[in-house]
Amino acid sequence: MSDAEENSLEEAEDGETEMEEEDEYNPNYYEEEEIIQWKSRKDDSLAWRDSLGEGQEDGEEEERVEEEREEAGEVEEGGVEKGWEEGWEDIVEEERGEEEAGAAQEEVAAGVLGETSVKPRELSMSVISLERLPLADSQSIESETFSKIHSNSESEKSSESESLHSLGSQLEVLDLSSSDEQLIQALKSPPSGELGERIQQTLRGELGQERREAAPEEKGKLEKRGSYFIEGEAKEFQPKAHILEDSLVATTTEDILFQKDDSANMYPLTMTRSFGWNSSLPVYYIRDQNPRVVLYACTHTAVIYNVLKNEQHHLQGHPNVISCLCVSEDRRWIATADKGPDCLIIIWDSFTGIPVHTIFDSCPEGSGIKAIAITHDAKYLATISDAEIQKVCIWRWTLAAETPACTLDLPIEYGFQNYLVFNPRNNKELVSNSKTRAIYYFWYEEGEILIHSAPLLTEKTFNKLVGKFSQSVFHLNLTQVLSATREGKLVVWDVHHPLPSASPSLGLPYIKPCKLVHLQKEGITVLTTVDSYIVTGDVKGNIKFYDQTLSIVNWYSDFKLGAIRTLSFSKTPATPPTEQSNYPSDCTLKGDLFVVRDFIIGTSDATVYHLTANETKLEKLFVEPKEAICAISCHPYQPLLAIGSFCGMIKVWDYARKKYLFSRVFEKGLGVQSLTYNPEGALLGASFTDGAVYILDSMSLENAIPEPFKYSRTSVTHISFSHDSKYMATADINFTVAVYMVQVISGQRVWQYLARLRSHRKSIQTLLFGVHLDSNDPRLLSLGRDRLLIEYDLLKSYRDHLEVLDIHQTDQGDYPTCMIWYPPLTKELFLLITNSGYKVKLFNSTTKMCRKTLLGPVYGSPMEQIQILPVKTAIELQKRYLVFINRDKVGLQILPIDGNPHKTAAIVCHPDGVAGLALSYDGHYAFTAGGRDRSVMQWEINLSALEAAVSRGGEDLSPFYGLMSGGREGQFYRELEDYFYYSQLRSQGIDTMETRKVSEHICLSELPFVMRAIGFYPSEEKIEDMFNEIKFSEYVDTGEVIGKINLPDFLKVYLNHRPPFGNTMGNVQKSFDILGHTNSKGKKVIRREDFLQLLMTKGEHMTEEEMSDCFASLLGLNPEGWKSEPAASSVKGSETCFEKLPDEITAEIFVTEILGLTMSPDSRQHPTVSDVVRNA
C-alpha cells in the first residue's frame, strides 16, 4: 500500500469515527456498559494482558474463525498480510519485547486505560467480536456503518463496528508539526499512548488489505468509499470535524478578525482605540495582502492594526505592561509576556484574536519576562525572566503545559540577557545576548536538560575593540552564530557539536569565537535574516543586506530615518521579477535585480514605515510620541482630542473618524506638561516643562499671542480657563499660582500677565475656576497637598498682587488628591474633594464646612483625578455620573455618592500609572494618558451596564451589610445593635429607677461613644464633621437641625467615616518612625517623657487630667471604665498612672500593652500590611 493510500484511509477512518460519535445514538449503550463493567470486574489487568498474549482465550474459536476466513479467500498461501489474530499477537509480542518485566507491562496497560478510558474487557470483546466475522461480513459492517451515518439504520453488526471505531478515535495520536491544523488539534486533544497508536496502525493496515484483495465488485465499493474519504480530507471528514461548530480558532480565516461585530458592549468601560505604541518593542508584519496588518504593543495591550481599514483589534489580558512579544513564522500565533506581579504569558490566535493558552506562574518571584522567542514550527516557546538571577525556560505550550519543560539559571556575570531567538532550522538550539555576553543553548529534550556555552570576549580575544552586543542570529546555512555590536562589528561564533555516538556527559555542544568582522561604521541595532540575506539596521537609519559570506548586496540609506529599532519582513516571498517589475539593481559586479520581500520598519523616534521593495516605495504608516504623554484635552463641542508629549509634540485627532488631523513639534527641550481648551474651544492653553505657557489657536496650533509667557522657572503642571475665558490660571511645581487676564487694547483682545503667588507649602493638586452665586463673576480656588483649600479674590487683585480671600484646612491626616464642582443634584452647592484615605468629602462652597464624608471607590489606590460626565439633554441632568482615575485604573461612579460599593466600576488602563484624564463633549468616551508608557487609551462608556450592576447589588441597606464582617447576621452587627441600645440606657442614666423609654434613635452626644465601642476611634475634628453631617442633613429643605440618629443611618455614617482597611500596624509604625528615635537595639522608640509631651502639645491637645483618665482606664486602674461612665471614679494622682508606662515605648508596646489590642500573627513579620485586631 502506498503512503498516500494509507494516509487517506487513516484520515477517512478518523473522520468516519467522529461522525459516528456525533450523529449516532445507541439506546442500549448504558446497558452494554454495565454488562462490560460487570464482566471486567472478574478479570484484573494482568489476566487481560495474558489473554492478549495468548491471542484468544478460546483456542477452538480461533481455529474456527481462521477456517472461515480461509474459506472466504481472505488469506492466501503465504499471504501478503497477516490476519487479525496474528497482527494482534505481533503487537503484544512487540510490547513484551520492549517491556520484559511484568511491572513494566502493567504500567503500559494502565497508561492505555488512563488515556483511552476503555475498560480492559471492553477492548478484548471488541476485538473478539470482529475476529469472529468472516471478511464479507466485516466489509458489510464497514459499509453499513458508513450508511448508518446518513440513514440512521440500526443493526447489530454496525453497533459492533461503532465500538471498534470509537476505540480508534479514543486512541488517536496527533503528531504535531508546523501546520496550523495540527497545532489546533494539539490544543484540543492530548496524544495517546504508544500501544494505542499501534492498534490504530493495525486497523488501518487491515482496511488497506481489504481494499487490495477484495473481489472486483466489492473492491469497487471499497474504492468508492476510499475516494469519498479522500474528499472528506478537505471537507467534513477531516480529524477536526467534531470541533467545527464550537471552535472559532479551528474554522476561521485570516479575514475574520476585522469582520467580527464588536458593537455589543457589555461592560461599563470598553477600550475602542489606542494612541501611541511602545517603540522599544518590535512591530511585526502580520498580513501582507490587502488588507495590510501589523502588530505592536501599547502599554498592557497588543494591537493588531489594519492599515487599510484604519481599524484596531486589542488583545487584552495582561495585568502589567507588555515587556516582550513574538510571532510564529506563519504569523498565525502571537506570544506576549509582561513584567510585574502576577505576570502572564499569553498565546493568541492572530486570525480570531482569541487567547488559546495562558501561562500563569511563569515567574513565581513576580519579576516578569524580559525576552521571548517561538520556534519556526510554533511548537515551543522560550523565555528569559527579568530578575537579578535570570531564568531561561522552554515551554511546550501546544500541550497546555503549565510548567516549563526545562529551566536554566544564568549566572550574574553573564550580564542582563535582553534578546533571545531560536535556530529556525533546529528547535533545540537558541542564542541570547546581553551587552557583554552571548550565550548558546542546546536543549536535550529526552533528558529535559538545557546546556549552554557563554565564552567571554575581551579586547585581547581579537586584539580589537568588540563593542557592546545588540542582537544575535544563527547563520543561514552554516553552523555558526552571528552577534552584532554597537561598534558596527559582527562576531562570528563556530558551533561545535559532539559526535553522534558520544553521550551528553562526554561531549556537549559549545560555541567558540571564530572571527570579528567590521561590517560598517555605524552601530548595528538590528540583526536578522530573510531568505538568503543577512540584514542589519543601524543608528543612522541605514538598512543593509549581506549575502552568506557577509559581502554587501544592497542597502537603503536615502530615506533619512531615525535609528532602526525593528525590521519585520512579509511572510509571502517576493514575486519573481517581470517586465513590469521595478526592482532596483544590487551593488554587486553583476548588477542583478535586488529581489526582496516587502518589510516594516520601526525607528527610535516612534515612527513606523512600510517599504515596497518592487518600487522602492517608502510609506509612513504612523508617527507617535516617543516620550511620556501627560497632557490630553478634549474640545468642548467637537470630537477633537489634543495629545501632548514630553518630546514637544502636540497632535490633534478626530476620535469620531479615527483620523489624525494636524500636529506641531516645538523646539527641543520643550516638553508639553498640560493642555486645556477654553470653554469656547477657540484657544488651546499649553504649559511646558521649562515653565513656558503658550496660548494656541485650536484649529492650527499657531501662536495666539506674540510671545509665550515665561514667568515660571519650573514645570507648569496645571492650566485652567474661567467660564467666560477672561482669566487663565496656572500652577507650577514650586507651589505657585499665576493668573493671566484678557484686556482690550485698541479694539484687540490681548492676554496679559496679572499676578502670581506662592500660596502653598506642598504640590498643588487642583486649580479650579467657578462662578459666584450672587453674580456671574469668576472665582478661583486652589487645593494643595498641604491640606489647604485657598480661594483668591480676582476682583481685588492687581498687577503683581494676587489677593487671597480665605484659607481652609480640608483634612487632618490624609492629604487631598483632587477637587471638582459637585453637580447641582441638591439645593446646596458643594465642592467635592477626594483624599488619600479613599474618602470623598463635600464642602459647602461658601462656608467651606465639611457637610458629608463618604467612602469612595476602593481599587488599590485613591482617586487622583475626577471629572463629571457631560450631558446634553435635560433628562440626563436628573442622574449624573463621575469618571475617575487612580494610580492605574479608570472608573465610573454613580452620583450621588453614598458609600454603596456597587455604584462604581473600574478597569486597569495603564499599569505603570495614569497621568491624565479627559472626557468627550457628549459624554460617550473617556480618554486616559499613560505618562511614561507613551500611550493614550479611548474608552467607550456604557452607563446601562453600570446601572445593571447596581441593581444586582441590592437595595436599601443590603449593599452596606456586605461591608461588615459577617454581614447582617454576623457577630459584629449584633454587637453594634447591643451598643446602640445600651447607649440609650446611658443617656437616660444607668442608676435610674424610672421607666425606660426605648426608641429607634440615640442622641448625637452618644455617637462618639458607640463608635469607639465598636473599634473606630475618630478624632475630635472627625466627630465634629459627623455632628455637622447629621445636624444639617435636612436643613436646606426644612430649616431644622437634627439632634438624633437611628441605627440604619448610624451604620452608614460608621461605614463611610471609618478607615477603609481598619487600624493597621503599618500606620502606627509610620508614626513612630516619624516621631521617635532609634535606640541601641535599632528600634524606633519614643521616650515616656516625650510621649506625654507630644500628647499635650501636638495635634488635638490633651490636658493632664484627660491623659490621667485615659491611662487609668487603659492600664486597668479604673475598674468601671473611663471617666465618662457615670459610675467611674478617677484615680487620684496622675503620676501613678504615668509611672506605669515603660521608659521607652515602641509601636508594638503601644498597641499591645497600652491600648490592649491583639496583633494578627503575621503583623510582627509584616508590620506594614497586617491588621490590628480588637481584643475581645
Side-chain angles (χ1 to χ4, degrees):
M1 177 184 293
S2 66
D3 293 338
E5 291 174 338
E6 185 173 350
N7 292 336
S8 300
L9 288 174
E10 175 186 353
E11 294 177 357
E13 185 180 7
D14 293 343
E16 183 179 7
T17 302
E18 290 158 357
M19 291 301 294
E20 287 178 4
E21 292 176 350
E22 287 184 359
D23 297 340
E24 288 190 333
Y25 170 70
N26 184 3
N28 300 322
Y29 170 76
Y30 293 103
E31 181 180 354
E32 294 174 0
E33 185 71 12
E34 291 178 358
I35 295 174
I36 292 173
Q37 292 180 358
W38 177 79
K39 291 183 178 181
S40 65
R41 286 195 291 268
K42 298 172 61 179
D43 303 306
D44 58 9
S45 299
L46 183 60
W48 168 66
R49 188 175 57 255
D50 291 339
S51 68
L52 295 181
E54 295 171 359
Q56 298 294 338
E57 296 177 356
D58 192 346
E60 296 178 358
E61 189 68 12
E62 282 183 13
E63 295 177 359
R64 188 182 66 79
V65 172
E66 182 66 25
E67 290 175 358
E68 292 176 354
R69 294 177 67 180
E70 288 180 355
E71 292 175 359
E74 177 184 352
V75 181
E76 300 175 357
E77 287 294 331
V80 179
E81 195 164 348
K82 300 178 181 179
W84 264 105
E85 301 87 355
E86 297 175 0
W88 185 263
E89 289 173 359
D90 287 347
I91 294 174
V92 178
E93 288 301 321
E94 281 186 68
E95 287 296 316
R96 289 189 172 183
E98 297 174 0
E99 309 287 348
E100 295 180 354
Q105 290 179 349
E106 291 179 359
E107 293 178 3
V108 174
V112 174
L113 290 174
E115 293 173 350
T116 63
S117 301
V118 178
K119 297 293 182 181
R121 188 64 178 171
E122 182 181 355
L123 178 61
S124 59
M125 288 177 64
S126 300
V127 177
I128 292 171
S129 63
L130 183 61
E131 288 181 339
R132 290 176 178 174
L133 298 173
L135 176 61
D137 292 339
S138 177
Q139 292 172 347
S140 64
I141 287 174
E142 293 289 338
S143 302
E144 289 178 17
T145 302
F146 180 74
S147 301
K148 186 175 181 178
I149 297 176
H150 304 280
S151 64
N152 292 325
S153 62
E154 298 180 1
S155 65
E156 181 179 356
K157 294 180 180 180
S158 61
S159 298
E160 293 172 347
S161 178
E162 179 183 357
S163 300
L164 177 62
H165 285 293
S166 298
L167 174 64
S169 176
Q170 292 169 341
L171 295 176
E172 181 183 21
V173 178
L174 292 176
D175 183 21
L176 293 175
S177 69
S178 60
S179 67
D180 294 338
E181 293 181 1
Q182 291 171 325
L183 280 174
I184 294 167
Q185 287 292 352
L187 295 171
K188 285 294 190 181
S189 305
S192 302
E194 182 179 358
L195 181 57
E197 181 180 4
R198 294 181 180 177
I199 292 173
Q200 191 171 1
Q201 290 175 353
T202 303
L203 298 179
R204 291 195 295 265
E206 286 299 316
L207 289 176
Q209 180 66 16
E210 287 177 15
R211 182 175 181 179
R212 291 207 309 263
E213 299 188 22
E217 62 276 13
E218 295 173 341
K219 185 174 181 179
K221 297 180 181 179
L222 284 173
E223 289 177 350
K224 182 178 180 180
R225 182 184 58 167
S227 63
Y228 189 88
F229 286 162
I230 294 174
E231 292 176 1
E233 178 180 353
K235 296 181 181 179
E236 58 186 358
F237 277 57
Q238 49 188 333
K240 62 180 182 181
H242 64 287
I243 62 170
L244 286 178
E245 294 182 357
D246 56 4
S247 176
L248 192 62
V249 175
T251 60
T252 186
T253 65
E254 294 186 6
D255 298 326
I256 193 174
L257 188 65
F258 295 99
Q259 294 176 357
K260 294 192 298 182
D261 183 13
D262 297 330
S263 60
N265 184 358
M266 300 182 296
Y267 306 101
L269 289 163
T270 303
M271 184 193 299
T272 59
R273 189 77 177 183
S274 66
F275 305 88
W277 70 289
N278 188 350
S279 57
S280 61
L281 296 181
V283 178
Y284 288 104
Y285 207 162
I286 300 295
R287 310 276 185 274
D288 48 11
Q289 305 297 331
N290 288 331
R292 186 182 301 155
V293 180
V294 298
L295 168 74
Y296 57 89
C298 181
T299 183
H300 65 312
T301 303
V303 180
I304 301 178
Y305 175 52
N306 187 318
V307 179
L308 182 63
K309 294 184 178 181
N310 190 26
E311 293 181 1
Q312 295 179 349
H313 183 87
H314 304 109
L315 307 181
Q316 296 178 266
H318 286 281
N320 309 295
V321 173
I322 293 177
S323 57
C324 52
L325 71 164
C326 63
V327 298
S328 60
E329 181 67 21
D330 60 0
R331 309 300 200 271
R332 178 70 190 268
W333 311 105
I334 300 170
T336 57
D338 61 65
K339 179 172 62 176
D342 301 321
C343 59
L344 301 177
I345 300 173
I346 306 179
I347 297 90
W348 313 81
D349 174 24
S350 69
F351 290 179
T352 62
I354 295 175
V356 294
H357 184 54
T358 302
I359 301 173
F360 289 94
D361 298 322
S362 58
C363 294
E365 66 278 6
S367 57
I369 305 298
K370 180 59 180 178
I372 191 169
I374 192 168
T375 56
H376 187 81
D377 58 5
K379 272 189 179 182
Y380 308 111
L381 277 177
T383 60
I384 299 180
S385 65
D386 189 8
E388 183 178 359
I389 299 178
Q390 292 183 283
K391 178 179 291 186
V392 183
C393 300
I394 295 180
W395 308 84
R396 294 189 178 99
W397 73 271
T398 56
L399 301 182
E402 294 295 334
T403 57
C406 64
T407 62
L408 173 67
D409 291 335
L410 300 178
I412 298 179
E413 56 267 22
Y414 286 177
F416 192 73
Q417 302 290 311
N418 54 21
Y419 187 77
L420 179 67
V421 65
F422 273 98
N423 187 345
R425 289 162 298 279
N426 187 351
N427 287 353
K428 306 303 182 290
E429 290 184 307
L430 305 90
V431 65
S432 71
N433 66 258
S434 63
K435 293 181 179 180
T436 58
R437 191 78 68 98
I439 306 177
Y440 166 81
Y441 309 88
F442 190 88
W443 178 28
Y444 282 99
E445 186 175 3
E446 295 77 10
E448 306 294 356
I449 300 173
L450 186 65
I451 65 167
H452 72 285
S453 172
L456 176 63
L457 289 185
T458 64
E459 294 183 5
K460 297 182 179 179
T461 305
F462 299 107
N463 292 324
K464 291 181 181 178
L465 177 65
V466 177
K468 295 181 179 180
F469 293 125
S470 56
Q471 293 184 2
S472 301
V473 296
F474 284 88
H475 197 284
L476 292 168
N477 294 321
L478 305 177
T479 56
Q480 291 180 328
V481 173
L482 308 176
S483 296
T485 73
R486 299 287 181 174
E487 299 295 326
K489 299 176 182 178
L490 210 62
V491 178
V492 182
W493 311 83
D494 280 337
V495 181
H496 295 268
H497 290 277
L499 296 176
S501 58
S503 63
S505 59
L506 299 178
L508 300 175
Y510 65 94
I511 59 171
K512 183 177 181 181
C514 169
K515 189 184 302 182
L516 181 65
V517 180
H518 199 159
L519 277 185
Q520 56 191 60
K521 296 180 181 179
E522 300 83 8
I524 300 174
T525 56
V526 176
L527 178 65
T528 186
T529 60
V530 59
D531 298 330
S532 60
Y533 300 116
I534 299 169
V535 189
T536 65
D538 58 42
V539 295
K540 295 293 185 179
N542 303 319
I543 303 170
K544 300 181 179 181
F545 294 78
Y546 300 85
D547 62 14
Q548 299 179 23
T549 64
L550 298 182
S551 298
I552 192 163
V553 178
N554 199 16
W555 68 88
Y556 298 100
S557 60
D558 298 332
F559 297 133
K560 297 181 180 179
L561 307 178
I564 306 298
R565 285 285 179 87
T566 178
L567 296 172
S568 179
F569 290 85
S570 166
K571 69 175 182 179
T572 304
T575 57
T578 62
E579 294 181 356
Q580 289 77 25
S581 299
N582 195 19
Y583 286 105
S585 300
D586 61 27
C587 62
T588 61
L589 294 177
K590 294 182 179 180
D592 296 331
L593 292 179
F594 179 66
V595 180
V596 71
R597 308 180 188 209
D598 297 344
F599 57 95
I600 294 289
I601 307 168
T603 62
S604 60
D605 56 2
T607 308
V608 177
Y609 303 89
H610 177 268
L611 190 137
T612 304
N614 189 10
E615 301 176 355
T616 317
K617 178 183 177 182
L618 186 69
E619 177 185 356
K620 185 183 294 185
L621 299 185
F622 52 85
V623 183
E624 299 294 349
K626 60 182 178 181
E627 295 184 24
I629 300 175
C630 295
I632 55 173
S633 182
C634 286
H635 196 277
Y637 56 87
Q638 291 185 16
L640 302 180
L641 173 69
I643 301 174
S645 168
F646 279 5
C647 65
M649 174 190 291
I650 298 179
K651 295 184 67 174
V652 178
W653 290 81
D654 184 334
Y655 55 81
R657 296 187 296 163
K658 305 175 184 178
K659 184 179 180 181
Y660 157 73
L661 299 180
F662 46 85
S663 64
R664 177 178 175 181
V665 179
F666 291 82
E667 60 188 69
K668 189 175 182 181
L670 283 179
V672 183
Q673 180 70 61
S674 180
L675 292 173
T676 302
Y677 283 97
N678 75 329
E680 289 79 20
L683 301 176
L684 178 65
S687 62
F688 290 79
T689 54
D690 68 340
V693 176
Y694 284 72
I695 299 179
L696 308 173
D697 181 89
S698 63
M699 292 295 115
S700 64
L701 299 184
E702 297 295 331
N703 289 356
I705 56 176
E707 294 293 333
F709 298 115
K710 295 185 178 180
Y711 289 93
S712 178
R713 298 179 181 178
T714 57
S715 178
V716 177
T717 56
H718 297 79
I719 184 169
S720 179
F721 288 93
S722 63
H723 71 286
D724 55 6
S725 296
K726 292 182 179 180
Y727 289 91
M728 180 183 73
T730 62
D732 60 29
I733 61 175
N734 276 347
F735 329 132
T736 302
V737 175
V739 178
Y740 308 85
M741 65 180 299
V742 172
Q743 290 185 347
V744 179
I745 301 176
S746 301
Q748 298 289 330
R749 292 169 55 92
V750 180
W751 283 95
Q752 290 189 343
Y753 164 76
L754 177 62
R756 60 195 304 263
L757 176 67
R758 185 171 181 175
S759 52
H760 291 272
R761 299 189 303 270
K762 292 185 178 181
S763 62
I764 297 174
Q765 305 290 74
T766 303
L767 196 60
L768 186 65
F769 274 101
V771 182
H772 284 285
L773 292 177
D774 53 353
S775 67
N776 197 38
D777 296 330
R779 58 192 296 195
L780 176 64
L781 303 97
S782 65
L783 179 69
R785 189 161 176 161
D786 54 5
R787 305 177 182 86
L788 296 181
L789 171 61
I790 302 178
E791 184 170 0
Y792 306 89
D793 193 334
L794 296 178
L795 297 179
K796 294 182 179 180
S797 300
Y798 50 87
R799 179 77 180 189
D800 295 329
H801 177 77
L802 184 58
E803 184 74 17
V804 174
L805 183 62
D806 55 43
I807 301 176
H808 291 270
Q809 182 173 329
T810 61
D811 289 275
Q812 278 186 314
D814 301 318
Y815 61 86
T817 57
C818 54
M819 172 178 64
I820 59 170
W821 291 105
Y822 194 71
L825 300 176
T826 62
K827 295 180 180 180
E828 195 172 358
L829 183 60
F830 292 120
L831 284 167
L832 187 152
I833 297 178
T834 64
N835 65 24
S836 59
Y838 297 89
K839 302 300 183 183
V840 176
K841 291 189 173 185
L842 299 182
F843 290 83
N844 183 283
S845 62
T846 303
T847 64
K848 309 297 191 303
M849 175 191 290
C850 180
R851 292 280 286 100
K852 190 166 276 192
T853 300
L854 303 159
L855 178 65
V858 181
Y859 291 107
S861 60
M863 293 187 288
E864 296 181 356
Q865 292 185 35
I866 51 178
Q867 292 188 28
I868 300 298
L869 197 66
V871 294
K872 290 300 180 182
T873 64
I875 298 178
E876 294 175 338
L877 288 173
Q878 299 175 3
K879 194 157 191 178
R880 304 299 298 273
Y881 301 85
L882 179 146
V883 183
F884 66 88
I885 57 173
N886 62 5
R887 191 194 68 82
D888 59 350
K889 299 177 183 69
V890 59
L892 293 171
Q893 169 75 56
I894 299 176
L895 297 180
I897 300 176
D898 57 6
N900 183 349
H902 299 284
K903 294 175 69 173
T904 181
I907 186 173
V908 174
C909 56
H910 301 275
D912 270 3
V914 192
L917 171 68
L919 301 180
S920 64
Y921 73 97
D922 56 4
H924 290 168
Y925 298 102
F927 299 88
T928 57
R932 60 183 179 180
D933 68 13
R934 295 164 284 178
S935 68
V936 173
M937 298 296 184
Q938 178 179 346
W939 304 89
E940 184 180 357
I941 297 174
N942 183 3
L943 298 177
S944 60
L946 181 60
E947 293 289 353
V950 177
S951 62
R952 295 186 63 182
E955 298 178 353
D956 198 23
L957 288 178
S958 298
F960 296 92
Y961 291 136
L963 297 175
M964 298 185 301
S965 176
R968 184 174 183 177
E969 306 300 326
Q971 181 181 357
F972 179 84
Y973 186 74
R974 292 197 298 270
E975 288 185 2
L976 174 59
E977 287 181 320
D978 293 341
Y979 288 131
F980 187 84
Y981 292 112
Y982 173 71
S983 67
Q984 295 185 23
L985 302 180
R986 271 178 41 89
S987 62
Q988 298 174 28
I990 294 179
D991 298 329
T992 182
M993 300 300 294
E994 297 179 1
T995 302
R996 300 288 184 179
K997 296 180 180 180
V998 180
S999 69
E1000 297 180 353
H1001 298 79
I1002 61 172
C1003 59
L1004 290 186
S1005 60
E1006 293 294 318
L1007 183 141
F1009 299 104
V1010 182
M1011 290 286 183
R1012 292 169 184 143
I1014 58 178
F1016 173 39
Y1017 307 97
S1019 65
E1020 294 300 323
E1021 181 177 307
K1022 291 183 178 179
I1023 292 174
E1024 187 66 25
D1025 289 343
M1026 293 182 199
F1027 286 166
N1028 292 334
E1029 180 177 330
I1030 298 168
K1031 286 193 298 184
F1032 300 108
S1033 59
E1034 299 178 4
Y1035 185 80
V1036 176
D1037 297 326
T1038 65
E1040 297 180 357
V1041 177
I1042 305 300
K1044 58 183 180 180
I1045 186 173
N1046 58 23
L1047 181 58
D1049 291 339
F1050 178 90
L1051 177 63
K1052 290 183 179 180
V1053 172
Y1054 164 72
L1055 293 174
N1056 280 309
H1057 281 263
R1058 69 170 183 174
F1061 306 112
N1063 300 311
T1064 62
M1065 190 63 193
N1067 293 335
V1068 178
Q1069 186 63 53
K1070 183 179 179 180
S1071 300
F1072 273 76
D1073 292 341
I1074 296 173
L1075 300 174
H1077 69 278
T1078 305
N1079 63 4
S1080 58
K1081 297 181 180 180
K1083 294 184 177 181
K1084 286 288 185 178
V1085 298
I1086 301 177
R1087 288 189 293 268
R1088 178 174 56 192
E1089 296 78 11
D1090 297 336
F1091 180 73
L1092 298 175
Q1093 186 68 19
L1094 288 170
L1095 292 177
M1096 290 190 295
T1097 59
K1098 302 296 182 182
E1100 294 178 346
H1101 305 170
M1102 296 181 70
T1103 65
E1104 185 173 350
E1105 182 182 1
E1106 290 174 338
M1107 285 199 306
S1108 176
D1109 288 335
C1110 287
F1111 285 119
S1113 298
L1114 290 172
L1115 299 177
L1117 303 179
N1118 272 346
E1120 295 294 334
W1122 193 37
K1123 184 178 179 179
S1124 60
E1125 293 286 353
S1129 58
S1130 178
V1131 175
K1132 301 296 183 180
S1134 58
E1135 295 182 1
T1136 305
C1137 299
F1138 300 152
E1139 289 175 358
K1140 296 289 185 180
L1141 299 175
D1143 294 335
E1144 291 185 341
I1145 303 173
T1146 64
E1148 292 186 2
I1149 291 176
F1150 176 71
V1151 170
T1152 58
E1153 297 183 15
I1154 297 178
L1155 297 182
L1157 304 179
T1158 302
M1159 291 187 298
S1160 59
D1162 296 335
S1163 62
R1164 300 179 187 274
Q1165 299 177 1
H1166 306 285
T1168 59
V1169 297
S1170 299
D1171 293 336
V1172 177
V1173 182
R1174 185 164 52 90
N1175 188 359

